[in-house]
């Protein structure tokens, strides 16, 4: 069955690479999956928790 949302890979990913993640927005959830295992584990975030995750991830390692 087709999913009602479109999965997207990062623009930084090599188009032929299979070792990256894909992201989709369902409206009330942000979905994240591994391109090597698309039929299994999918992480689900609320938009607010996704924004918080991205903000923390882009800050880099924290100081000890």
């Amino acid at each position: 069955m087709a999913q009602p949302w479109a999965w997207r890979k990062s623009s930084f990913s090599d188009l032929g690479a299979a070792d990256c993640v894909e992201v989709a927005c369902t409206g009330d959830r942000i979905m994240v999956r591994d391109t090597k295992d698309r039929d299994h584990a999918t992480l689900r975030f609320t938009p607010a928790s996704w924004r918080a995750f991205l903000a923390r991830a882009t800050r880099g390692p924290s100081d000890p």
Side-chain angles (χ1 to χ4, degrees), residues 5 23-32 43-50:
W5 53 85
V23 178
C25 179
T26 67
D28 65 339
R29 291 284 183 254
I30 308 301
M31 315 287 276
V32 181
L43 301 175
R44 293 168 178 85
F45 296 89
T46 63
S49 62
W50 179 247

Side-chain angles (χ1 to χ4, degrees), residues 1-62:
M1 181 174 167
Q3 296 168 332
W5 53 85
W7 290 96
R8 297 179 53 185
K9 280 203 282 187
S10 168
S11 60
F12 291 101
S13 296
D14 179 8
L15 294 178
D19 56 347
C20 49
V21 296
E22 296 175 310
V23 178
C25 179
T26 67
D28 65 339
R29 291 284 183 254
I30 308 301
M31 315 287 276
V32 181
R33 69 181 181 185
D34 185 344
T35 57
K36 293 180 303 239
D37 194 12
R38 291 178 173 149
D39 294 329
H40 293 94
T42 300
L43 301 175
R44 293 168 178 85
F45 296 89
T46 63
S49 62
W50 179 247
R51 285 189 299 273
F53 168 76
L54 290 179
R56 178 64 187 102
T58 57
R59 277 191 297 237
S62 57

